[in-house]
Amino acid sequence: MPSSPASAQVLVVDDEPDLRTLYELTLLREGYRVDAAGSLAEAWAQLESKKFDAVITDMRLPDGQGLELLHRMLARQRTERCIVMTAYGSAENAVEALKAGAFDYLTKPVDLKQFRTVVASAIQETGGAGARARTAPGIAKQPLTAAADRPPNSQLALERLVGNSPSMRDVKERIAKVARSMAPVLVRGESGTGKELVARAVHACSHRSEGPFVAVNCSAIPESLLEAEFFGAKKGSYTGAAADREGYFQAARGGTLFLDEIGDLPLAMQSKLLRAIQERSVRALGSTQEDIVDVRIVSATHRDLAADVHAGLFRQDLYYRLNVIEILVPPLRERREDLPELCQALLTRIAQESGMPTPVLSQAICTQLIGHPLTGNVRELENLLHRAVALYDGEELQVDFAPTQLPVREADSSSPAPSSLPLTSASAPLALPDDLQAFLDQQEREILVRALHESGFNRTAAAQRLGLSLRQIRYRIARLAIAAPGDEANGDAA
């Protein structure tokens, strides 16, 4: 922690004397200096008279709502981190508090171990009494998003988000703002836009930057293993469980859990995830006890979750839980002015990995790239540059666009294109197949191959185009033995 517990001052606001005393004693044992108030008026009088490091307030008070105190603190640009305790419609109130700017929330009855952890996080984020000492009376404090207030690695994480276009500046500013609270973040954007880089930047800019960052691809886990992977499992809880194992929630304790492709989670797992987020506790498969977990949730998706909610494919309550704060990552076509800088950064990294000097990208090639559709976003651009560096002969760098585009077949009556193959025709009725399943498999295979070619063998983009989940397209690719470029040499199916 940046300052010792003894130097940190906490204000506890609760109208129930017994609970107020319990919270006071718990904090005093931790070494904090504690003041208490039983109403909104008393709390504000305390705040007017001195500065605190953290304020813990009940949601419902005799003379108003705890959110009123929070709104007033934000309006006066108070530096204290506010923790809201709620037992009244906890899910809705907690989300409302986080959106209003609360650092975190606790659900009554409060678990004292979790209580101590959340308060310690809030104190650590403000920097304790040292932060108050640095601000002289009457001098405006610098915004918390200033570089001096961020963790050491935060600037490096933000620099990885290459680009200085207005849309990218907005993304970076939003990251700096949202990083300092515990509010769940939903990162939205097309495939290949860099959603995981945004999630890592949120983690790096937060007070949890020293903790673990655990990234999980929700679409890549078999449905039967989801619960064990997320929450852990006890020895013997399922076939093959030879020892106790931690889940992702336990592995991310004290840090950030990044749930990529959250929209691909089955509904049954969505309800279990919702409970884990609400209760801040998980139960390992085969266990009778719950473990308290202190993690911040950042999720990402290329899907329209609001539309999935209306279609019954995604739980509405989980959607509102995850989407407290949204960061929208722009596609590359909407920030083409960033392409020169982005190409340079990618070429530098690719060249370093290859152990060769960084090639120079000519203005002509740069102009070609700006005119290219780049539907695969940064991932497609990186693919193009990787290939260009691999074929680089030491002279001028050349970018070969052909492999990312679907080859156009010449008109041939004996070999029609898959898209033009008629299932029925008035002039030439299609003969009934001897093997219907083989015929349908061939039709499906041609459609999948075409979609994969057009997306540069980006399976996520191909799945999105065909209205499939990543899990579904992977199953079909394996079943139909469709090979990706380079797989033939290794004998592995895509």
Side-chain angles (χ1 to χ4, degrees):
M1 290 175 60
S3 60
S4 64
S7 67
Q9 190 136 6
V10 182
L11 174 62
V12 176
V13 188
D14 199 305
D15 61 326
E16 297 183 53
D18 291 346
L19 287 176
R20 195 165 63 241
T21 301
L22 174 63
Y23 302 146
E24 283 187 77
L25 290 173
T26 301
L27 294 171
L28 287 169
R29 289 193 189 104
E30 293 297 303
Y32 300 116
R33 291 179 292 164
V34 185
D35 288 277
S39 67
L40 208 58
E42 288 179 30
W44 191 248
Q46 296 260 31
L47 285 164
E48 291 278 73
S49 64
K50 65 172 76 171
K51 285 189 176 292
F52 294 87
D53 294 290
V55 176
I56 306 163
T57 180
D58 193 8
M59 177 66 83
R60 189 169 293 182
L61 297 166
D63 52 348
Q65 294 282 329
L67 286 180
E68 294 178 38
L69 185 65
L70 174 59
H71 288 310
R72 197 183 299 181
M73 288 169 62
L74 291 172
R76 300 288 183 90
Q77 296 185 329
R78 301 281 304 200
T79 59
E80 295 90 346
R81 290 286 162 262
C82 187
I83 300 164
V84 175
M85 296 182 293
T86 175
Y88 302 92
S90 59
E92 294 77 10
N93 286 335
V95 170
E96 186 182 358
L98 290 171
K99 284 187 173 179
F103 174 77
D104 207 345
Y105 71 92
L106 292 163
T107 304
K108 287 185 173 181
V110 174
D111 178 277
L112 292 181
K113 183 179 178 182
Q114 185 183 351
F115 178 79
R116 289 190 289 267
T117 300
V118 171
V119 173
S121 294
I123 299 296
Q124 181 182 5
E125 207 278 339
T126 59
R132 296 196 309 274
R134 286 193 299 269
T135 306
I139 298 177
K141 186 175 174 63
Q142 293 296 316
L144 286 172
T145 52
D149 294 304
R150 297 183 197 140
N153 294 328
S154 62
Q155 192 59 36
L156 182 62
L158 289 172
E159 286 173 1
R160 289 197 185 105
L161 296 167
V162 179
N164 200 36
S165 60
S167 57
M168 283 306 292
R169 285 202 302 269
D170 289 344
V171 168
K172 293 175 187 179
E173 287 173 10
R174 194 158 179 81
I175 288 169
K177 287 178 183 177
V178 306
R180 62 180 187 257
S181 83
M182 276 286 290
V185 176
L186 177 64
V187 184
R188 285 185 53 234
E190 296 177 9
S191 295
T193 50
K195 296 186 289 295
E196 183 169 340
L197 282 178
V198 171
R200 288 185 180 276
V202 170
H203 172 73
C205 292
S206 74
H207 67 283
R208 293 174 167 261
S209 59
E210 297 299 318
F213 177 89
V214 178
V216 181
N217 186 340
C218 298
S219 65
I221 306 171
E223 190 169 343
S224 59
L225 295 178
L226 279 168
E227 191 170 354
E229 292 290 326
F230 273 72
F231 308 135
K234 292 293 183 181
K235 179 180 179 181
S237 58
Y238 61 90
T239 304
D244 291 354
R245 55 170 294 185
E246 284 191 335
Y248 297 130
F249 270 85
Q250 292 93 336
R253 190 180 280 116
T256 301
L257 179 59
F258 174 52
L259 304 177
D260 197 10
E261 299 301 346
I262 188 72
D264 289 340
L265 271 186
L267 282 167
M269 188 60 196
Q270 290 177 27
S271 62
K272 294 171 184 175
L273 177 62
L274 174 65
R275 187 182 186 281
I277 294 172
Q278 287 184 171
E279 301 301 323
R280 307 282 183 88
S281 63
V282 297
R283 180 179 296 161
L285 207 61
S287 175
T288 57
Q289 295 185 343
E290 292 197 337
D291 297 325
I292 300 295
V293 286
D294 171 34
V295 300
R296 184 187 192 172
I297 301 292
V298 178
S299 50
T301 183
H302 69 275
R303 301 170 64 104
D304 184 349
L305 288 188
D308 284 351
V309 168
H310 288 299
L313 301 175
F314 201 84
R315 289 182 63 107
Q316 184 180 48
D317 44 8
L318 179 59
Y319 172 67
Y320 287 123
R321 255 309 173 187
L322 296 172
N323 192 27
V324 174
I325 297 171
E326 183 177 89
I327 298 177
L328 185 61
V329 187
L332 202 48
R333 63 181 174 274
E334 293 180 7
R335 57 181 191 102
R336 291 188 182 272
E337 62 267 45
D338 290 332
L339 267 173
E341 186 181 355
L342 191 56
C343 288
Q344 188 58 48
L346 288 171
L347 281 173
T348 300
R349 179 166 62 80
I350 293 167
Q352 285 175 348
E353 291 171 355
S354 305
M356 59 184 290
T358 304
V360 177
L361 194 68
S362 69
Q363 185 59 47
I365 296 296
C366 197
T367 303
Q368 276 186 279
L369 285 168
I370 290 173
H372 193 64
L374 291 173
T375 52
N377 294 295
V378 180
R379 189 177 292 128
E380 182 183 352
L381 177 64
E382 185 175 4
N383 179 282
L384 288 167
L385 295 177
H386 256 296
R387 188 160 57 245
V389 171
L391 299 173
Y392 181 54
D393 57 5
E395 297 180 1
E396 187 176 350
L397 189 72
Q398 298 293 330
V399 177
D400 181 12
F401 295 96
T404 64
Q405 298 170 344
L406 179 68
V408 179
R409 295 187 182 185
E410 293 182 5
D412 185 349
S413 59
S414 63
S415 179
S419 61
S420 62
L421 185 66
L423 292 178
T424 60
S425 170
S427 59
L430 186 69
L432 292 176
D434 295 329
D435 187 336
L436 178 61
Q437 187 58 54
F439 174 79
L440 293 175
D441 284 350
Q442 181 61 23
Q443 297 294 308
E444 183 178 5
R445 193 177 197 281
E446 289 181 349
I447 292 169
L448 284 170
V449 167
R450 182 181 180 191
L452 287 165
H453 270 295
E454 290 183 353
S455 62
F457 276 84
N458 181 327
R459 298 177 193 185
T460 303
Q464 185 179 9
R465 183 167 181 182
L466 295 173
L468 300 173
S469 70
L470 187 57
R471 187 180 289 112
Q472 288 171 326
I473 199 170
R474 278 179 171 160
Y475 166 75
R476 284 168 166 79
I477 288 171
R479 183 175 68 82
L480 298 170
I482 299 172
D487 286 352
E488 294 87 345
N490 302 322
D492 294 333

